[in-house]
Amino acid sequence: MHHYDHRGHAGNAGDVWKHLLLLEAASCLFIPDRSFVYAESHVGRPEYALCTPGDWVGGIGKLWPILPKLKNFCYFDILVEMNPTGPKRYPGSAVLVLETAKRRKTDLQSEIWDADPGVAAAWQGFSGVCFHMGDGFSGVESLLELSPPGLLLIDPPYIDPSDMRRAEKLLFIARDLGWVVLLWYMMETETVPNGRLEKFELNFAKCGLDGGRWKGCVVAVAGADDELLCHLLVQSDRFIDIISNR
Ligand SMILES: C[S@@+](CC[C@H](N)C(=O)[O-])C[C@H]1O[C@@H](n2cnc3c(N)ncnc32)[C@H](O)[C@@H]1O
């Protein structure tokens, strides 16, 4: 069985794009004093230490000097608040979404999966989430039948050749049940889901980020209404504009 550990990769250029769009979607969807369901099939840890060397240097590390300019984006504001003395801590996707819900005063029901026992241990005692140890594709699929629709992030490590096919299948099932779905993958991925999806692409080098051997990444969005899509387009363009002209 393949094993993937996100600890050396947290905060990389791909995480920046994924987490920026995830939190913009969450900010738009979360309504104060209402409840909302968030699901994630491949959640990783609650938090990561930013140690050197690490992929974060080419990702969030490159943006650290201009974080004050980016504070209007929920994602960067959370990072600034968590790191008053410089880059030390990087929250994982679920913690970022939880913090966004807190700020929006939304009652969040988080259903999150990971197959790694080390990740499961890291979530032990963490309140406000329902962590499930096991395969996230089948886990989320079983949740979809029981839960009201919400926001779903599918973020597999793509070390198993079946990951993209399973991610695509889950995305369309969830979308057809009324969920808003974000699917993250590297630009070089050959099999890319098609059919009524909006794709938000980031070319790392053009934006002064370093993704190592990867040219860029994509967040595919399904099930979003016009208001959400418009918000994501405006915010992603604003972000690219700021970081390309720094
Ligand atoms: C890219 S990392 C997740 C990063 C996280 N979503 C974030 O943005 O902070 C992928 C995670 O998938 C987990 N994983 C691998 N195969 C899995 C499976 N079949 N089901 C659930 N989790 C799995 C790994 O243990 C790893 O923690």
Side-chain angles (χ1 to χ4, degrees):
M1 181 165 157
H2 307 286
H3 182 257
Y4 172 88
D5 188 333
H6 198 56
R7 279 177 290 187
H9 308 295
N12 66 28
D15 269 5
V16 169
W17 190 233
K18 168 180 50 184
H19 292 153
L20 170 78
L21 286 164
L22 176 65
L23 295 207
E24 289 303 322
S27 306
C28 207
L29 292 167
F30 294 171
I31 298 169
D33 305 320
R34 297 266 281 273
S35 58
F36 198 91
V37 182
Y38 175 69
E40 196 173 332
S41 54
H42 299 71
V43 75
R45 291 166 191 261
E47 190 177 313
Y48 302 88
L50 293 176
C51 305
T52 310
D55 291 356
W56 71 274
V57 175
I60 195 63
K62 294 267 183 206
L63 299 180
W64 213 270
I66 60 155
L67 282 196
K69 279 195 201 168
L70 295 166
K71 275 190 67 180
N72 284 340
F73 298 93
C74 183
Y75 163 58
F76 295 108
D77 194 46
I78 292 173
L79 287 180
V80 168
E81 194 177 283
M82 276 185 79
N83 289 282
T85 58
K88 294 198 167 60
R89 300 164 63 201
Y90 191 84
S93 43
V95 164
L96 285 164
V97 172
L98 269 178
E99 180 56 32
T100 306
K102 216 187 285 169
R103 289 168 174 225
R104 297 282 295 152
K105 299 190 178 4
T106 299
D107 174 23
L108 197 69
Q109 182 194 334
S110 287
E111 303 284 345
I112 56 177
W113 274 260
D114 202 285
D116 182 338
V119 171
W123 282 102
Q124 247 174 27
F126 200 100
S127 62
V129 299
C130 189
F131 179 88
H132 309 267
M133 160 89 192
D135 174 51
F137 291 120
S138 49
V140 170
E141 194 173 334
S142 59
L143 170 81
L144 296 177
E145 291 167 16
L146 311 168
S147 164
L151 174 64
L152 166 64
L153 173 65
I154 309 174
D155 182 25
Y158 298 107
I159 49 172
D160 188 309
S162 68
D163 275 359
M164 182 50 102
R165 181 181 49 76
R166 298 185 75 198
E168 200 174 344
K169 178 173 169 248
L170 182 62
L171 175 143
F172 288 119
I173 294 174
R175 194 260 331 254
D176 291 347
L177 288 167
W179 288 68
V180 173
V181 190
L182 269 56
L183 167 65
W184 181 93
Y185 54 91
M186 282 300 184
M187 222 179 235
E188 289 86 344
T189 307
E190 277 170 33
T191 338
V192 176
N194 279 310
R196 283 176 293 142
L197 288 177
E198 288 299 324
K199 292 177 185 162
F200 294 84
E201 292 194 359
L202 186 75
N203 180 307
F204 298 147
K206 277 189 187 161
C207 298
L209 302 178
D210 179 1
R213 66 194 166 108
W214 304 106
K215 189 174 155 211
C217 69
V218 183
V219 174
V221 179
D225 63 12
D226 289 348
E227 186 188 342
L228 175 56
L229 279 182
C230 181
H231 178 78
L232 294 177
L233 276 170
V234 168
Q235 290 295 81
S236 54
D237 282 353
R238 271 188 59 222
F239 169 69
I240 289 175
D241 199 44
I242 295 172
I243 65 170
S244 306
N245 296 308
R246 71 189 120 129

